[in-house]
Amino acid sequence: MRNVARSATTTKIAASVALVAGTAAVAGLGTFGAFTSTTTATQAVGSGKVVMNMSAQAGQGFEVATTNLVPGDTVQRAVTLTREAGSEKFGSVKLTTTAGANATKLVTDETAGLQLSVDQCTTPWTKAANSKVLTCTGAPANVTSVLAKRTVLGQNVDLNGVLAKLNADATPSANLRVTLELPTAADNTFQNLSDTVTFTVDATQRAGEAR
């Protein structure tokens, strides 16, 4: 009788162990059971560019040196600004004029030194043979002032009306005549002076927009 009781006890313990092990197995199956779905897409992206070019017109651009000026003389130079194909439109167009390291009163004197003005023509500027005077076909109706007369040196000066021309879809270009004048107020202290004026035109990008 004692042997029977001991056997029964052993059986109950074994059954309890088996039940615990089975519960652990069921819990494990619940951890790995899940429905999933995945989708992907690619988006092509690229940055734009802002490019403006300057070229001479009528063989009378900035590459032509100017010497022997006397009070009352004027210098006219013709250039074309162009927004390069594929370039984004511009938000502003500004002119900066600077002198060399050893600038003289020829450019630094705001009253009697060189004066600058810029005009725009709807067509390229032209000049007659043996002449340095630049004219606009259909003038004065086709001529607009881009920069009124002012001292030759200046920083970030707006070129009024140029932006619209450079942002045009058909012909994104502007025909400019740059005029330098030595005023009659220049006295003998202006004799035999020489300088270099650098013209820098900066174009900035258009405003950001939804693309």
Side-chain angles (χ1 to χ4, degrees):
M1 294 295 292
R2 290 182 180 178
N3 291 336
V4 173
R6 185 177 304 165
S7 176
T9 302
T10 303
T11 302
K12 289 180 180 179
I13 293 174
S16 297
V17 172
L19 179 59
V20 172
T23 303
V26 171
L29 290 175
T31 301
F32 291 100
F35 295 146
T36 64
S37 176
T38 302
T39 184
T40 62
T42 59
Q43 169 66 64
V45 295
S47 59
K49 62 180 181 178
V50 174
V51 183
M52 178 174 58
N53 298 309
M54 180 188 298
S55 59
Q57 278 189 23
Q60 196 164 307
F62 288 125
E63 74 282 357
V64 180
T66 300
T67 58
N68 301 323
L69 292 175
V70 299
D73 279 351
T74 58
V75 178
Q76 293 184 338
R77 296 292 179 259
V79 296
T80 301
L81 297 180
T82 306
R83 178 168 58 87
E84 187 174 286
S87 171
E88 292 297 310
K89 291 185 177 182
F90 303 149
S92 67
V93 179
K94 297 179 181 292
L95 171 68
T96 295
T97 46
T98 56
N102 300 314
T104 70
K105 63 189 303 181
L106 182 62
V107 295
T108 60
D109 191 305
E110 296 184 2
T111 302
L114 286 172
Q115 303 293 300
L116 167 69
S117 60
V118 183
D119 297 305
Q120 182 173 242
C121 180
T122 55
T123 59
W125 295 89
T126 60
K127 67 173 183 174
N130 302 319
S131 172
K132 293 185 179 180
V133 176
L134 294 166
T135 59
C136 175
T137 302
N142 292 338
V143 178
T144 56
S145 174
V146 170
L147 182 64
K149 186 185 294 186
R150 49 161 294 144
T151 181
V152 69
L153 301 182
Q155 302 287 326
N156 295 319
V157 181
D158 280 311
L159 294 178
N160 300 311
V162 171
L163 182 62
K165 286 290 187 181
L166 293 179
N167 280 344
D169 292 326
T171 55
S173 60
N175 304 300
L176 305 182
R177 180 183 65 188
V178 178
T179 301
L180 297 174
E181 177 184 348
L182 184 60
T184 56
D187 57 22
N188 284 335
T189 62
F190 282 81
Q191 292 191 64
N192 201 35
L193 300 179
S194 61
D195 273 294
T196 299
V197 179
T198 299
F199 291 78
T200 303
V201 183
D202 291 306
T204 60
Q205 68 165 63
R206 57 168 175 75
E209 59 186 33
R211 307 293 286 177

